[in-house]
Amino acid sequence: MGDHTAATAVLSEGHTSTDDLSIWPASTTRLTHGGLAIGGVPLAEIADRFGTPAYVLDEGEVRERCRTYRDAFPEADVLYAAKAFLSRAMVRWVREEGLGLDVCSAGELELAVTAGFPPERIVLHGKAKSARDLEVALRLGVGRIVIDSPSEIARIAAAVGADGRQKVMVRVVPGVSAGGHDKIRTGTDDQKFGLSLTDGGAQHTITRVLGQPQLELTGLHCHIGSQITDVKPYLVALRRMVGLMARVRDAHGVVLAELDMGGGHGIAYRPGEPALDLTALARRMRAELVEGCAAAGVAVPRLAVEPGRAIVGPAGVALYRVLTVKHAGEKVFVAVDGGMSDNPRPALCGVRCAPRLIDRASTAGPCTATVVGRHCEAGDVLAAEVELPGDIRPGDLLAVPVAGAYQLSMASGYNLVGRPAVIAVYEGTARTVVRRETLEDFRSQDVGG
Ligand code: LLP
């Protein structure tokens, strides 16, 4: 990951110092005409062959990131958070690399299991699980169900039935504030997820779960937020979770065997931005766990982590074709053939991406441009005030790195533009793994009436 020695060795002429590939997949290489190749396949060739917008997913990068996690956390379970991006190919890569899976709906669960993922290696989350979510989870034999609210206890127990037994965990809010922005901070009491450590809600729920013979409480879960780049909040949360495990042991004589610390591991979206240091996280969480458990006199539980973004985010690249360029006073608006329907993150979370011209070398000086989507919404801005070649024009190809997480999985049908195709690249070949949504799809879903 992040080693671009090979890429820098084949620098084309005209490349500038701002042309930084540090956040691109490790397989990215520069081509002599100014373009880029990923997984051995030129991006311009992918655009021509498969059309745009398209999402290119570097299978090698996904696999390498899974291995980095396995190596960093040899004594923990690493569960890929499917909400970041899910497809049958992704399910296979994650399974083959030895990870587990975190899902949060019957849809994600069914897709994973029908694609061959072992259900016992899957954890079902969800703020509010529907009857169907629970029915599918129990029918398919999901490994763990994470209880997010006390009202779920009786529902799950009833669905399990008198003779059954289901492994469950309880999601605890440890009172730690962390995360890239306020919509993804989930570690404090003022948000919708989990059961509070401070008001006794978590303890109360645990007591009730332990009273249900149909439920086997294997451990506790917390997820403090997303896009976190600092190790410290994880250590604070971990210490509090171990404290709660000790209290459960004291109150009930029950030793909980598992502790799932969730995901949220931050990555760089633009060159120079910080990312969470995984090796440091793994090492310091382990040390904190061992020390904390020794101090509290509880057995060290098996740790789990649930990374989504850090596995798939940097492995994805979005490809767009420029449709129009408008000069309005000082401003330059570059409109592309996708936008908020394939990437709602800028509009929803206020984040900005770093698009780059990829099909030709330009000798023009740079201009400051705002890259916008094609949608009927003024907030459909992909990247405000970014540097692009001054001769940017309709027909040019733009690529946006770090596009693999929470873009397609949050895509919408707005303006019936259709969700883009996902093209996997690996060792010099490109193939469709999710096909583009078509007019025929819209027609067949809408039954008229
Ligand atoms: N585990 C649980 C229980 C979660 O809720 C999440 C993410 C994860 C794991 C994985 O977090 P990650 O490692 O991917 O940060 N739409 C937002 C992100 C929402 C995250 C939701 N939960 C965004 O685009 O930034």
Side-chain angles (χ1 to χ4, degrees), residues 244-292:
L244 179 57
M245 294 180 90
R247 289 201 290 287
V248 170
R249 193 266 329 269
D250 294 344
H252 306 284
V254 172
V255 178
L256 297 171
E258 298 174 359
L259 177 58
D260 184 336
M261 290 300 296
H265 311 161
I267 58 174
Y269 279 92
R270 290 189 285 190
E273 283 180 1
L276 185 64
D277 179 345
L278 281 188
T279 324
L281 177 75
R283 185 173 36 80
R284 294 183 63 193
M285 282 217 301
R286 187 86 217 150
E288 185 68 42
L289 185 65
V290 171
E291 270 172 42

mmCIF file of all heavy atoms in Angstrom, residues 244-292:
data_model
loop_
_atom_site.group_PDB
_atom_site.id
_atom_site.type_symbol
_atom_site.label_atom_id
_atom_site.label_comp_id
_atom_site.label_asym_id
_atom_site.label_seq_id
_atom_site.Cartn_x
_atom_site.Cartn_y
_atom_site.Cartn_z
ATOM 1 N N LEU A 244 -16.686 -2.148 32.002
ATOM 2 C CA LEU A 244 -18.057 -2.675 31.991
ATOM 3 C C LEU A 244 -18.038 -4.204 32.060
ATOM 4 O O LEU A 244 -18.856 -4.829 32.758
ATOM 5 C CB LEU A 244 -18.794 -2.189 30.733
ATOM 6 C CG LEU A 244 -20.228 -2.679 30.567
ATOM 7 C CD1 LEU A 244 -21.088 -2.309 31.774
ATOM 8 C CD2 LEU A 244 -20.852 -2.107 29.290
ATOM 9 N N MET A 245 -17.095 -4.814 31.357
ATOM 10 C CA MET A 245 -16.996 -6.285 31.409
ATOM 11 C C MET A 245 -16.725 -6.753 32.844
ATOM 12 O O MET A 245 -17.275 -7.757 33.299
ATOM 13 C CB MET A 245 -15.885 -6.783 30.474
ATOM 14 C CG MET A 245 -16.210 -6.522 29.016
ATOM 15 S SD MET A 245 -14.925 -7.080 27.896
ATOM 16 C CE MET A 245 -15.459 -8.715 27.611
ATOM 17 N N ALA A 246 -15.902 -5.987 33.555
ATOM 18 C CA ALA A 246 -15.597 -6.346 34.947
ATOM 19 C C ALA A 246 -16.863 -6.210 35.801
ATOM 20 O O ALA A 246 -17.136 -7.055 36.669
ATOM 21 C CB ALA A 246 -14.475 -5.464 35.481
ATOM 22 N N ARG A 247 -17.639 -5.165 35.543
ATOM 23 C CA ARG A 247 -18.877 -4.980 36.332
ATOM 24 C C ARG A 247 -19.889 -6.085 36.047
ATOM 25 O O ARG A 247 -20.614 -6.529 36.926
ATOM 26 C CB ARG A 247 -19.473 -3.594 36.055
ATOM 27 C CG ARG A 247 -18.629 -2.475 36.684
ATOM 28 C CD ARG A 247 -19.426 -1.203 36.861
ATOM 29 N NE ARG A 247 -19.752 -0.526 35.602
ATOM 30 C CZ ARG A 247 -18.860 0.146 34.868
ATOM 31 N NH1 ARG A 247 -17.609 0.247 35.258
ATOM 32 N NH2 ARG A 247 -19.222 0.722 33.750
ATOM 33 N N VAL A 248 -19.921 -6.530 34.783
ATOM 34 C CA VAL A 248 -20.830 -7.629 34.424
ATOM 35 C C VAL A 248 -20.402 -8.906 35.161
ATOM 36 O O VAL A 248 -21.220 -9.647 35.710
ATOM 37 C CB VAL A 248 -20.830 -7.866 32.888
ATOM 38 C CG1 VAL A 248 -21.573 -9.144 32.523
ATOM 39 C CG2 VAL A 248 -21.437 -6.668 32.171
ATOM 40 N N ARG A 249 -19.099 -9.125 35.198
ATOM 41 C CA ARG A 249 -18.582 -10.299 35.919
ATOM 42 C C ARG A 249 -18.958 -10.215 37.410
ATOM 43 O O ARG A 249 -19.462 -11.169 38.006
ATOM 44 C CB ARG A 249 -17.058 -10.364 35.728
ATOM 45 C CG ARG A 249 -16.375 -11.659 36.142
ATOM 46 C CD ARG A 249 -15.835 -11.654 37.564
ATOM 47 N NE ARG A 249 -15.404 -10.347 38.012
ATOM 48 C CZ ARG A 249 -14.173 -9.867 37.882
ATOM 49 N NH1 ARG A 249 -13.245 -10.601 37.338
ATOM 50 N NH2 ARG A 249 -13.869 -8.649 38.331
ATOM 51 N N ASP A 250 -18.773 -9.011 38.005
ATOM 52 C CA ASP A 250 -19.083 -8.842 39.434
ATOM 53 C C ASP A 250 -20.572 -9.025 39.712
ATOM 54 O O ASP A 250 -20.961 -9.676 40.677
ATOM 55 C CB ASP A 250 -18.661 -7.444 39.915
ATOM 56 C CG ASP A 250 -17.147 -7.270 39.863
ATOM 57 O OD1 ASP A 250 -16.447 -8.305 39.761
ATOM 58 O OD2 ASP A 250 -16.675 -6.126 39.901
ATOM 59 N N ALA A 251 -21.407 -8.446 38.835
ATOM 60 C CA ALA A 251 -22.858 -8.464 39.093
ATOM 61 C C ALA A 251 -23.488 -9.814 38.775
ATOM 62 O O ALA A 251 -24.435 -10.239 39.437
ATOM 63 C CB ALA A 251 -23.534 -7.358 38.276
ATOM 64 N N HIS A 252 -22.983 -10.479 37.738
ATOM 65 C CA HIS A 252 -23.663 -11.681 37.257
ATOM 66 C C HIS A 252 -22.798 -12.938 37.277
ATOM 67 O O HIS A 252 -23.279 -14.020 36.937
ATOM 68 C CB HIS A 252 -24.165 -11.466 35.824
ATOM 69 C CG HIS A 252 -25.028 -10.259 35.668
ATOM 70 N ND1 HIS A 252 -26.341 -10.221 36.085
ATOM 71 C CD2 HIS A 252 -24.772 -9.032 35.149
ATOM 72 C CE1 HIS A 252 -26.856 -9.016 35.819
ATOM 73 N NE2 HIS A 252 -25.926 -8.282 35.263
ATOM 74 N N GLY A 253 -21.531 -12.770 37.568
ATOM 75 C CA GLY A 253 -20.628 -13.923 37.518
ATOM 76 C C GLY A 253 -20.394 -14.413 36.092
ATOM 77 O O GLY A 253 -19.984 -15.557 35.878
ATOM 78 N N VAL A 254 -20.648 -13.544 35.123
ATOM 79 C CA VAL A 254 -20.511 -13.955 33.714
ATOM 80 C C VAL A 254 -19.240 -13.327 33.122
ATOM 81 O O VAL A 254 -19.056 -12.107 33.193
ATOM 82 C CB VAL A 254 -21.742 -13.485 32.892
ATOM 83 C CG1 VAL A 254 -21.527 -13.713 31.404
ATOM 84 C CG2 VAL A 254 -22.988 -14.201 33.374
ATOM 85 N N VAL A 255 -18.394 -14.174 32.540
ATOM 86 C CA VAL A 255 -17.185 -13.671 31.891
ATOM 87 C C VAL A 255 -17.457 -13.574 30.389
ATOM 88 O O VAL A 255 -17.687 -14.601 29.734
ATOM 89 C CB VAL A 255 -15.988 -14.612 32.170
ATOM 90 C CG1 VAL A 255 -14.736 -14.108 31.439
ATOM 91 C CG2 VAL A 255 -15.727 -14.715 33.662
ATOM 92 N N LEU A 256 -17.482 -12.363 29.870
ATOM 93 C CA LEU A 256 -17.781 -12.182 28.445
ATOM 94 C C LEU A 256 -16.515 -12.447 27.625
ATOM 95 O O LEU A 256 -15.443 -11.926 27.939
ATOM 96 C CB LEU A 256 -18.320 -10.772 28.203
ATOM 97 C CG LEU A 256 -19.659 -10.484 28.916
ATOM 98 C CD1 LEU A 256 -20.032 -9.017 28.817
ATOM 99 C CD2 LEU A 256 -20.767 -11.367 28.347
ATOM 100 N N ALA A 257 -16.683 -13.241 26.573
ATOM 101 C CA ALA A 257 -15.498 -13.730 25.854
ATOM 102 C C ALA A 257 -15.105 -12.869 24.662
ATOM 103 O O ALA A 257 -14.044 -13.063 24.088
ATOM 104 C CB ALA A 257 -15.771 -15.154 25.379
ATOM 105 N N GLU A 258 -15.970 -11.916 24.274
ATOM 106 C CA GLU A 258 -15.691 -11.165 23.051
ATOM 107 C C GLU A 258 -15.858 -9.663 23.264
ATOM 108 O O GLU A 258 -16.769 -9.237 23.986
ATOM 109 C CB GLU A 258 -16.632 -11.626 21.925
ATOM 110 C CG GLU A 258 -16.442 -13.090 21.575
ATOM 111 C CD GLU A 258 -17.475 -13.584 20.564
ATOM 112 O OE1 GLU A 258 -18.345 -12.803 20.152
ATOM 113 O OE2 GLU A 258 -17.401 -14.768 20.214
ATOM 114 N N LEU A 259 -15.005 -8.892 22.599
ATOM 115 C CA LEU A 259 -15.112 -7.440 22.631
ATOM 116 C C LEU A 259 -14.892 -6.913 21.215
ATOM 117 O O LEU A 259 -13.800 -7.035 20.655
ATOM 118 C CB LEU A 259 -14.068 -6.845 23.585
ATOM 119 C CG LEU A 259 -14.035 -5.314 23.654
ATOM 120 C CD1 LEU A 259 -15.383 -4.737 24.075
ATOM 121 C CD2 LEU A 259 -12.952 -4.846 24.616
ATOM 122 N N ASP A 260 -15.956 -6.355 20.640
ATOM 123 C CA ASP A 260 -15.905 -5.846 19.274
ATOM 124 C C ASP A 260 -15.824 -4.325 19.344
ATOM 125 O O ASP A 260 -16.745 -3.672 19.835
ATOM 126 C CB ASP A 260 -17.173 -6.311 18.535
ATOM 127 C CG ASP A 260 -17.183 -5.920 17.073
ATOM 128 O OD1 ASP A 260 -16.496 -4.958 16.712
ATOM 129 O OD2 ASP A 260 -17.910 -6.576 16.298
ATOM 130 N N MET A 261 -14.705 -3.778 18.865
ATOM 131 C CA MET A 261 -14.467 -2.325 18.990
ATOM 132 C C MET A 261 -14.887 -1.546 17.748
ATOM 133 O O MET A 261 -14.542 -0.377 17.596
ATOM 134 C CB MET A 261 -12.987 -2.076 19.298
ATOM 135 C CG MET A 261 -12.564 -2.518 20.691
ATOM 136 S SD MET A 261 -13.470 -1.674 22.024
ATOM 137 C CE MET A 261 -12.948 0.023 21.775
ATOM 138 N N GLY A 262 -15.649 -2.177 16.831
ATOM 139 C CA GLY A 262 -16.175 -1.450 15.672
ATOM 140 C C GLY A 262 -15.096 -1.025 14.692
ATOM 141 O O GLY A 262 -13.952 -1.493 14.736
ATOM 142 N N GLY A 263 -15.490 -0.118 13.792
ATOM 143 C CA GLY A 263 -14.539 0.335 12.759
ATOM 144 C C GLY A 263 -14.265 1.811 12.912
ATOM 145 O O GLY A 263 -14.075 2.284 14.031
ATOM 146 N N GLY A 264 -14.251 2.516 11.777
ATOM 147 C CA GLY A 264 -14.063 3.963 11.831
ATOM 148 C C GLY A 264 -12.656 4.431 11.523
ATOM 149 O O GLY A 264 -12.339 5.604 11.703
ATOM 150 N N HIS A 265 -11.814 3.524 11.055
ATOM 151 C CA HIS A 265 -10.407 3.847 10.826
ATOM 152 C C HIS A 265 -10.252 4.815 9.649
ATOM 153 O O HIS A 265 -10.601 4.487 8.516
ATOM 154 C CB HIS A 265 -9.619 2.547 10.605
ATOM 155 C CG HIS A 265 -9.908 1.506 11.663
ATOM 156 N ND1 HIS A 265 -9.648 0.168 11.509
ATOM 157 C CD2 HIS A 265 -10.459 1.635 12.905
ATOM 158 C CE1 HIS A 265 -10.014 -0.492 12.611
ATOM 159 N NE2 HIS A 265 -10.514 0.392 13.466
ATOM 160 N N GLY A 266 -9.690 5.978 9.949
ATOM 161 C CA GLY A 266 -9.668 7.065 8.969
ATOM 162 C C GLY A 266 -8.627 6.897 7.876
ATOM 163 O O GLY A 266 -7.561 6.313 8.078
ATOM 164 N N ILE A 267 -8.951 7.451 6.698
ATOM 165 C CA ILE A 267 -8.040 7.397 5.544
ATOM 166 C C ILE A 267 -7.898 8.807 4.957
ATOM 167 O O ILE A 267 -8.699 9.687 5.261
ATOM 168 C CB ILE A 267 -8.581 6.441 4.434
ATOM 169 C CG1 ILE A 267 -9.978 6.895 3.977
ATOM 170 C CG2 ILE A 267 -8.620 5.005 4.948
ATOM 171 C CD1 ILE A 267 -10.526 6.110 2.792
ATOM 172 N N ALA A 268 -6.883 8.991 4.099
ATOM 173 C CA ALA A 268 -6.685 10.289 3.444
ATOM 174 C C ALA A 268 -7.505 10.329 2.157
ATOM 175 O O ALA A 268 -7.437 9.410 1.352
ATOM 176 C CB ALA A 268 -5.207 10.487 3.134
ATOM 177 N N TYR A 269 -8.273 11.386 1.984
ATOM 178 C CA TYR A 269 -9.013 11.578 0.737
ATOM 179 C C TYR A 269 -8.272 12.505 -0.218
ATOM 180 O O TYR A 269 -8.539 12.528 -1.407
ATOM 181 C CB TYR A 269 -10.413 12.132 1.015
ATOM 182 C CG TYR A 269 -11.396 11.049 1.427
ATOM 183 C CD1 TYR A 269 -11.604 10.738 2.755
ATOM 184 C CD2 TYR A 269 -12.090 10.329 0.461
ATOM 185 C CE1 TYR A 269 -12.496 9.731 3.126
ATOM 186 C CE2 TYR A 269 -12.976 9.329 0.806
ATOM 187 C CZ TYR A 269 -13.184 9.037 2.139
ATOM 188 O OH TYR A 269 -14.058 8.041 2.491
ATOM 189 N N ARG A 270 -7.392 13.316 0.363
ATOM 190 C CA ARG A 270 -6.576 14.206 -0.460
ATOM 191 C C ARG A 270 -5.126 14.089 -0.010
ATOM 192 O O ARG A 270 -4.868 13.787 1.164
ATOM 193 C CB ARG A 270 -7.076 15.641 -0.337
ATOM 194 C CG ARG A 270 -8.432 15.776 -1.032
ATOM 195 C CD ARG A 270 -8.890 17.209 -1.141
ATOM 196 N NE ARG A 270 -9.366 17.726 0.127
ATOM 197 C CZ ARG A 270 -9.995 18.901 0.244
ATOM 198 N NH1 ARG A 270 -10.186 19.643 -0.827
ATOM 199 N NH2 ARG A 270 -10.412 19.315 1.408
ATOM 200 N N PRO A 271 -4.172 14.281 -0.921
ATOM 201 C CA PRO A 271 -2.772 14.136 -0.543
ATOM 202 C C PRO A 271 -2.451 14.999 0.674
ATOM 203 O O PRO A 271 -2.916 16.135 0.775
ATOM 204 C CB PRO A 271 -2.011 14.634 -1.778
ATOM 205 C CG PRO A 271 -2.965 14.468 -2.900
ATOM 206 C CD PRO A 271 -4.337 14.666 -2.346
ATOM 207 N N GLY A 272 -1.699 14.426 1.585
ATOM 208 C CA GLY A 272 -1.282 15.194 2.763
ATOM 209 C C GLY A 272 -2.220 15.055 3.946
ATOM 210 O O GLY A 272 -1.858 15.432 5.063
ATOM 211 N N GLU A 273 -3.431 14.540 3.724
ATOM 212 C CA GLU A 273 -4.346 14.373 4.859
ATOM 213 C C GLU A 273 -3.881 13.201 5.727
ATOM 214 O O GLU A 273 -3.289 12.238 5.234
ATOM 215 C CB GLU A 273 -5.768 14.070 4.358
ATOM 216 C CG GLU A 273 -6.494 15.294 3.840
ATOM 217 C CD GLU A 273 -7.900 14.980 3.356
ATOM 218 O OE1 GLU A 273 -8.343 13.810 3.428
ATOM 219 O OE2 GLU A 273 -8.550 15.917 2.877
ATOM 220 N N PRO A 274 -4.178 13.251 7.036
ATOM 221 C CA PRO A 274 -3.736 12.155 7.902
ATOM 222 C C PRO A 274 -4.590 10.902 7.722
ATOM 223 O O PRO A 274 -5.732 10.978 7.273
ATOM 224 C CB PRO A 274 -3.941 12.725 9.314
ATOM 225 C CG PRO A 274 -5.019 13.740 9.157
ATOM 226 C CD PRO A 274 -4.889 14.298 7.770
ATOM 227 N N ALA A 275 -4.017 9.748 8.059
ATOM 228 C CA ALA A 275 -4.757 8.483 8.077
ATOM 229 C C ALA A 275 -4.447 7.812 9.406
ATOM 230 O O ALA A 275 -3.416 8.100 10.026
ATOM 231 C CB ALA A 275 -4.309 7.597 6.920
ATOM 232 N N LEU A 276 -5.334 6.939 9.847
ATOM 233 C CA LEU A 276 -5.077 6.224 11.101
ATOM 234 C C LEU A 276 -3.939 5.226 10.884
ATOM 235 O O LEU A 276 -3.924 4.508 9.880
ATOM 236 C CB LEU A 276 -6.350 5.501 11.549
ATOM 237 C CG LEU A 276 -6.285 4.811 12.907
ATOM 238 C CD1 LEU A 276 -6.094 5.813 14.036
ATOM 239 C CD2 LEU A 276 -7.562 4.030 13.170
ATOM 240 N N ASP A 277 -3.010 5.190 11.831
ATOM 241 C CA ASP A 277 -1.891 4.257 11.753
ATOM 242 C C ASP A 277 -2.354 2.902 12.316
ATOM 243 O O ASP A 277 -2.485 2.719 13.519
ATOM 244 C CB ASP A 277 -0.730 4.845 12.580
ATOM 245 C CG ASP A 277 0.490 3.938 12.604
ATOM 246 O OD1 ASP A 277 0.369 2.746 12.236
ATOM 247 O OD2 ASP A 277 1.560 4.422 13.003
ATOM 248 N N LEU A 278 -2.597 1.963 11.407
ATOM 249 C CA LEU A 278 -3.186 0.674 11.794
ATOM 250 C C LEU A 278 -2.297 -0.147 12.701
ATOM 251 O O LEU A 278 -2.765 -0.810 13.626
ATOM 252 C CB LEU A 278 -3.455 -0.166 10.550
ATOM 253 C CG LEU A 278 -4.689 0.179 9.751
ATOM 254 C CD1 LEU A 278 -4.907 -0.856 8.696
ATOM 255 C CD2 LEU A 278 -5.871 0.299 10.689
ATOM 256 N N THR A 279 -0.990 -0.128 12.400
ATOM 257 C CA THR A 279 -0.070 -0.912 13.221
ATOM 258 C C THR A 279 -0.064 -0.371 14.647
ATOM 259 O O THR A 279 -0.116 -1.133 15.613
ATOM 260 C CB THR A 279 1.350 -0.842 12.636
ATOM 261 O OG1 THR A 279 1.221 -0.810 11.220
ATOM 262 C CG2 THR A 279 2.193 -2.007 13.034
ATOM 263 N N ALA A 280 -0.034 0.966 14.767
ATOM 264 C CA ALA A 280 -0.052 1.574 16.107
ATOM 265 C C ALA A 280 -1.377 1.262 16.790
ATOM 266 O O ALA A 280 -1.410 0.936 17.984
ATOM 267 C CB ALA A 280 0.155 3.080 15.989
ATOM 268 N N LEU A 281 -2.463 1.347 16.048
ATOM 269 C CA LEU A 281 -3.783 1.061 16.633
ATOM 270 C C LEU A 281 -3.809 -0.356 17.196
ATOM 271 O O LEU A 281 -4.210 -0.589 18.343
ATOM 272 C CB LEU A 281 -4.880 1.219 15.569
ATOM 273 C CG LEU A 281 -6.290 0.866 16.048
ATOM 274 C CD1 LEU A 281 -6.849 1.962 16.953
ATOM 275 C CD2 LEU A 281 -7.246 0.631 14.874
ATOM 276 N N ALA A 282 -3.359 -1.316 16.381
ATOM 277 C CA ALA A 282 -3.396 -2.724 16.786
ATOM 278 C C ALA A 282 -2.525 -2.947 18.017
ATOM 279 O O ALA A 282 -2.943 -3.579 18.996
ATOM 280 C CB ALA A 282 -2.926 -3.603 15.633
ATOM 281 N N ARG A 283 -1.321 -2.405 17.979
ATOM 282 C CA ARG A 283 -0.373 -2.625 19.070
ATOM 283 C C ARG A 283 -0.883 -1.982 20.359
ATOM 284 O O ARG A 283 -0.913 -2.621 21.413
ATOM 285 C CB ARG A 283 0.986 -2.016 18.663
ATOM 286 C CG ARG A 283 2.116 -2.256 19.637
ATOM 287 C CD ARG A 283 3.472 -1.759 19.087
ATOM 288 N NE ARG A 283 3.415 -0.550 18.281
ATOM 289 C CZ ARG A 283 3.334 0.687 18.781
ATOM 290 N NH1 ARG A 283 3.296 0.893 20.068
ATOM 291 N NH2 ARG A 283 3.310 1.738 17.963
ATOM 292 N N ARG A 284 -1.371 -0.753 20.261
ATOM 293 C CA ARG A 284 -1.773 -0.054 21.483
ATOM 294 C C ARG A 284 -3.108 -0.572 22.025
ATOM 295 O O ARG A 284 -3.331 -0.603 23.229
ATOM 296 C CB ARG A 284 -1.798 1.452 21.222
ATOM 297 C CG ARG A 284 -0.362 1.938 20.953
ATOM 298 C CD ARG A 284 -0.267 3.409 20.759
ATOM 299 N NE ARG A 284 -0.669 4.170 21.932
ATOM 300 C CZ ARG A 284 -0.911 5.475 21.920
ATOM 301 N NH1 ARG A 284 -0.787 6.153 20.797
ATOM 302 N NH2 ARG A 284 -1.263 6.100 23.022
ATOM 303 N N MET A 285 -3.996 -1.012 21.132
ATOM 304 C CA MET A 285 -5.248 -1.609 21.625
ATOM 305 C C MET A 285 -4.961 -2.907 22.365
ATOM 306 O O MET A 285 -5.543 -3.187 23.410
ATOM 307 C CB MET A 285 -6.233 -1.879 20.473
ATOM 308 C CG MET A 285 -6.934 -0.631 20.006
ATOM 309 S SD MET A 285 -8.679 -0.839 19.514
ATOM 310 C CE MET A 285 -8.621 -1.993 18.252
ATOM 311 N N ARG A 286 -4.042 -3.699 21.796
ATOM 312 C CA ARG A 286 -3.663 -4.967 22.434
ATOM 313 C C ARG A 286 -3.085 -4.720 23.834
ATOM 314 O O ARG A 286 -3.471 -5.347 24.812
ATOM 315 C CB ARG A 286 -2.632 -5.675 21.542
ATOM 316 C CG ARG A 286 -2.249 -7.058 21.963
ATOM 317 C CD ARG A 286 -3.223 -8.081 21.407
ATOM 318 N NE ARG A 286 -3.456 -9.134 22.370
ATOM 319 C CZ ARG A 286 -4.570 -9.819 22.473
ATOM 320 N NH1 ARG A 286 -5.598 -9.581 21.687
ATOM 321 N NH2 ARG A 286 -4.711 -10.764 23.371
ATOM 322 N N ALA A 287 -2.160 -3.757 23.907
ATOM 323 C CA ALA A 287 -1.509 -3.451 25.189
ATOM 324 C C ALA A 287 -2.539 -2.964 26.207
ATOM 325 O O ALA A 287 -2.562 -3.406 27.357
ATOM 326 C CB ALA A 287 -0.427 -2.402 24.971
ATOM 327 N N GLU A 288 -3.420 -2.082 25.737
ATOM 328 C CA GLU A 288 -4.453 -1.527 26.621
ATOM 329 C C GLU A 288 -5.386 -2.641 27.112
ATOM 330 O O GLU A 288 -5.780 -2.679 28.284
ATOM 331 C CB GLU A 288 -5.255 -0.466 25.845
ATOM 332 C CG GLU A 288 -6.277 0.285 26.646
ATOM 333 C CD GLU A 288 -5.649 1.196 27.697
ATOM 334 O OE1 GLU A 288 -4.650 1.856 27.386
ATOM 335 O OE2 GLU A 288 -6.169 1.220 28.836
ATOM 336 N N LEU A 289 -5.711 -3.548 26.212
ATOM 337 C CA LEU A 289 -6.616 -4.650 26.551
ATOM 338 C C LEU A 289 -5.988 -5.552 27.609
ATOM 339 O O LEU A 289 -6.611 -5.892 28.619
ATOM 340 C CB LEU A 289 -6.942 -5.448 25.281
ATOM 341 C CG LEU A 289 -7.963 -6.572 25.423
ATOM 342 C CD1 LEU A 289 -9.339 -5.999 25.776
ATOM 343 C CD2 LEU A 289 -8.068 -7.381 24.130
ATOM 344 N N VAL A 290 -4.739 -5.929 27.357
ATOM 345 C CA VAL A 290 -4.055 -6.837 28.278
ATOM 346 C C VAL A 290 -3.886 -6.179 29.655
ATOM 347 O O VAL A 290 -4.218 -6.771 30.680
ATOM 348 C CB VAL A 290 -2.697 -7.286 27.677
ATOM 349 C CG1 VAL A 290 -1.871 -8.054 28.696
ATOM 350 C CG2 VAL A 290 -2.926 -8.128 26.416
ATOM 351 N N GLU A 291 -3.433 -4.915 29.645
ATOM 352 C CA GLU A 291 -3.250 -4.193 30.917
ATOM 353 C C GLU A 291 -4.572 -3.983 31.641
ATOM 354 O O GLU A 291 -4.686 -4.240 32.841
ATOM 355 C CB GLU A 291 -2.670 -2.799 30.651
ATOM 356 C CG GLU A 291 -1.171 -2.734 30.658
ATOM 357 C CD GLU A 291 -0.708 -1.356 30.197
ATOM 358 O OE1 GLU A 291 -1.305 -0.343 30.612
ATOM 359 O OE2 GLU A 291 0.236 -1.317 29.386
ATOM 360 N N GLY A 292 -5.561 -3.510 30.895
ATOM 361 C CA GLY A 292 -6.870 -3.214 31.489
ATOM 362 C C GLY A 292 -7.494 -4.458 32.101
ATOM 363 O O GLY A 292 -8.055 -4.422 33.199
#
